Amino acid sequence: KLGDAYRGYQLKRAVQVSFAHSLGTIVAERILDMAVLVLLLFTSLWLLSTSGDRHGELATSILGGGVALLVVGVVGLAAMWLLRDHLHARLPQRLQAMYLRFQHGTLGSFRSLPWVVLLSLAIWMGEACRLYLVMNALNLPLGFPYALFLSLANSLLTVVPFTPGGLGLVEAGIVGLLMLGGIDKETAVATALLDRTITYWSLIAIGFPLFLVRRRV
């Protein structure tokens, strides 16, 4: 949750690749995340529409925003691939080697695509299930399709990392979407805080011991 730049730095240290190469893998991850998010958002929209939920129009508009971001990412990726033998030559000489490493990291990250897609689907479904359990624990009258839509809509806020881990943006997004779903402000705030507390503290509970073990190694 410290941010993509720090993740790139740690990846550089772990596998002894350049920082530009590691950032390329993270860019590829973000594009793939967006593709899986759009697929699942479409699924949640279909579930909301078939269940007669009145929030289908809201889900459609958010899906449109996700598709727009995905199109930008795919167009950029396609341009990188089509110009892979020419684009670096147009850059200043001191940037050419750095860009080539970035390009190799980005394009080379799609070689294990099937496994990465399956893992991404499992992770995003886990996010939706966690939020649904939090909503259920607080007796919110919203079903799993809305929990799926809500978790994915807020995940769009973290795909482009304006803040580390989407801190502040995701909480506000959860509160706003829950209020649009007919939940009062106090309950919506409680849901957002409880859900984000679980996500952050679970990372600390698992990640901190791993951090200490890695330091010893």
Side-chain angles (χ1 to χ4, degrees):
K1 296 295 186 183
L2 291 176
D4 285 340
Y6 184 74
R7 292 175 59 209
Y9 168 72
Q10 288 296 332
L11 182 60
K12 170 183 177 295
R13 291 184 57 191
V15 296
Q16 300 300 310
V17 296
S18 69
F19 185 65
H21 188 285
S22 63
L23 282 182
T25 66
I26 291 173
V27 168
E29 176 201 357
R30 290 296 184 179
I31 295 174
L32 183 59
D33 264 352
M34 181 60 67
V36 175
L37 275 172
V38 168
L39 174 63
L40 290 176
L41 272 171
F42 181 81
T43 302
S44 69
L45 175 62
W46 177 76
L47 291 173
L48 287 172
S49 61
T50 55
S51 63
D53 193 285
R54 59 187 175 87
H55 303 101
E57 184 176 345
L58 175 63
T60 301
S61 62
I62 293 178
L63 175 62
V67 170
L69 287 174
L70 177 60
V71 168
V72 171
V74 170
V75 169
L77 188 65
M80 179 183 291
W81 185 79
L82 291 172
L83 301 174
R84 61 191 181 279
D85 297 325
H86 309 285
L87 184 58
H88 67 281
R90 298 179 177 274
L91 298 174
Q93 189 172 3
R94 62 189 178 86
L95 297 178
Q96 289 182 12
M98 184 183 301
Y99 173 77
L100 284 173
R101 290 192 290 269
F102 173 78
Q103 176 181 278
H104 183 266
T106 303
L107 299 179
S109 297
F110 291 93
R111 293 172 182 170
S112 302
L113 192 60
W115 280 111
V116 176
V117 169
L118 288 175
L119 288 172
S120 297
L121 285 170
I123 290 169
W124 290 126
M125 289 302 295
E127 294 271 339
C129 289
R130 185 201 66 245
L131 181 57
Y132 174 70
L133 291 175
V134 170
M135 292 165 55
N136 189 60
L138 296 176
N139 296 318
L140 272 63
L142 297 171
F144 181 75
Y146 195 79
L148 177 62
F149 155 70
L150 183 59
S151 63
L152 296 172
N154 280 286
S155 295
L156 288 175
L157 299 175
T158 63
V159 170
V160 181
F162 294 111
T163 62
L167 186 63
L169 294 175
V170 173
E171 290 82 355
I174 292 175
V175 171
L177 289 173
L178 283 174
M179 291 177 65
L180 288 174
I183 306 301
D184 62 90
K185 182 178 179 180
E186 290 75 15
T187 304
V189 170
T191 303
L193 292 179
L194 179 57
D195 181 69
R196 294 294 275 174
T197 298
I198 292 171
T199 59
Y200 273 95
W201 280 103
S202 62
L203 284 174
I204 293 173
I206 298 173
F208 186 63
L210 292 174
F211 170 76
L212 295 177
V213 169
R214 188 170 182 275
R215 295 270 298 186
R216 293 193 186 98
V217 173

